[in-house]
């Protein structure tokens, strides 16, 4: 009996030191109940590692994970930064945005001030982007600006591209700025 009362007493003492980081009103559903399908994490730092080494590092001020019977979704309401690494463990590309939502299939909706920089130094700027992690593709229907490492700049509406921008298509009304010497060499002049 003495052991049981010691365990209860210890549990009560420990519960005084453990508390929820989030105010309860932020994780309460409309019915006034705490939602068991929501997890809120502040000051997020995640890494993904496989047999080849570090794949990426993700940082965000806040992540909200919602669980259902069949899926898990991640929301980054205050933005995120992802740094991808190559096999030498050097950073190779970057995604930065004001907001992101990752669904259960790995389709990521990125909004706000979206910046993607490739390993070659190419930069994509837009306000809305869909990133399919499974097929490693990027899509947008919004205004985009693609600044290539060569200094060439392309503007347009809509984009289909692979993650490293080695292949891309501007969908509508594009204009560009190309260095004259680069254009001459491309045309064989």
């Amino acid at each position: 009996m003495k052991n049981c009362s010691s365990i209860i007493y210890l549990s009560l003492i420990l519960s005084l030191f453990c508390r929820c980081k989030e105010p309860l009103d932020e994780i309460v559903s409309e019915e006034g109940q705490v939602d068991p399908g929501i997890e809120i994490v502040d000051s997020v730092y995640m890494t993904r590692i496989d047999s080849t080494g570090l794949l990426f590092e993700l940082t965000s001020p806040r992540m909200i994970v919602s669980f259902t019977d069949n899926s898990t979704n991640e929301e980054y309401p205050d933005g995120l930064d992802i740094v991808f690494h190559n096999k030498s463990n050097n950073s190779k590309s970057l995604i930065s945005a004001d907001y992101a939502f990752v669904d259960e299939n790995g389709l990521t909706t990125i909004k706000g001030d979206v910046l993607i920089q490739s390993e070659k130094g190419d930069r994509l700027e837009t306000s809305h982007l869909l990133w399919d992690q499974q097929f490693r593709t990027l899509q947008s229907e919004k205004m985009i600006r693609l600044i290539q490492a060569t200094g060439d700049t392309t503007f347009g509406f809509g984009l289909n591209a692979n993650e490293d921008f080695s292949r891309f298509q501007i969908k509508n009304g594009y204009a560009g700025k190309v260095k004259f010497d680069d254009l001459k060499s491309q045309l064989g002049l």
Side-chain angles (χ1 to χ4, degrees), residues 8 23-24 41 73 77 86 133 136-137 145:
I8 292 173
L24 192 57
V41 182
N73 299 314
N86 60 20
Q133 295 178 41
R136 303 179 69 159
T137 59
R145 178 167 79 167

Side-chain angles (χ1 to χ4, degrees), residues 2 4 23 34-35 67 89 103 118 120 125 137 141-142 148 152 172 179-180 184 187 189:
K2 185 175 182 180
C4 185
V34 174
D35 190 343
F67 304 95
N89 231 8
D103 72 13
S118 74
K120 297 182 297 186
E125 298 170 356
T137 59
E141 299 299 326
K142 301 290 184 180
Q148 293 177 294
D152 299 343
N172 295 310
K179 291 182 181 176
F180 184 71
K184 279 181 16 180
L187 296 174
L189 301 175

Side-chain angles (χ1 to χ4, degrees), residues 5-187:
S5 64
S6 296
I7 291 172
I8 292 173
Y9 179 73
L10 183 59
S11 298
L12 288 173
I13 295 296
L14 286 174
S15 70
L16 293 174
F17 293 104
C18 299
R19 63 181 177 85
C20 182
K21 248 182 115 172
E22 295 302 317
L24 192 57
D25 61 340
E26 289 188 24
I27 55 175
V28 172
S29 67
E30 291 178 6
E31 294 80 31
Q33 302 295 317
V34 174
D35 190 343
I38 302 286
E39 183 177 305
I40 299 173
V41 182
D42 285 333
S43 302
V44 177
Y45 176 77
M46 290 192 298
T47 60
R48 181 157 184 190
I49 300 171
D50 73 1
S51 61
T52 63
L54 180 63
L55 297 177
F56 69 79
E57 297 173 276
L58 182 149
T59 56
S60 177
R62 173 172 280 199
M63 175 176 70
I64 301 171
V65 182
S66 49
F67 304 95
T68 64
D69 291 338
N70 300 325
S71 68
T72 301
N73 299 314
E74 298 173 7
E75 181 179 8
Y76 300 89
D78 300 326
L80 57 68
D81 293 307
I82 304 171
V83 178
F84 295 91
H85 294 268
N86 60 20
K87 291 178 182 173
S88 303
N89 231 8
N90 298 321
S91 63
K92 72 173 196 175
S93 58
L94 161 76
I95 295 177
S96 180
D98 293 336
Y99 172 88
F101 180 84
V102 183
D103 72 13
E104 69 275 5
N105 299 316
L107 184 62
T108 305
T109 302
I110 306 170
K111 296 180 182 179
D113 190 14
V114 179
L115 167 68
I116 298 180
Q117 185 165 335
S118 74
E119 183 174 15
K120 297 182 297 186
D122 298 334
R123 293 171 45 105
L124 173 71
E125 298 170 356
T126 188
S127 63
H128 186 270
L129 190 72
L130 293 175
W131 172 34
D132 190 324
Q133 295 178 41
Q134 179 181 357
F135 294 105
R136 303 179 69 159
T137 59
L138 305 168
Q139 295 180 344
S140 179
E141 299 299 326
K142 301 290 184 180
M143 176 73 175
I144 62 102
R145 178 167 79 167
L146 178 61
I147 305 162
Q148 293 177 294
T150 61
D152 299 343
T153 303
T154 306
F155 298 91
F157 289 92
L159 171 82
N160 286 325
N162 59 1
E163 284 180 340
D164 66 359
F165 303 120
S166 60
R167 294 180 161 239
F168 67 91
Q169 173 192 14
I170 308 298
K171 293 181 180 179
N172 295 310
Y174 90 88
K177 181 177 80 174
V178 179
K179 291 182 181 176
F180 184 71
D181 291 337
D182 292 342
L183 181 61
K184 279 181 16 180
S185 66
Q186 289 175 3
L187 296 174

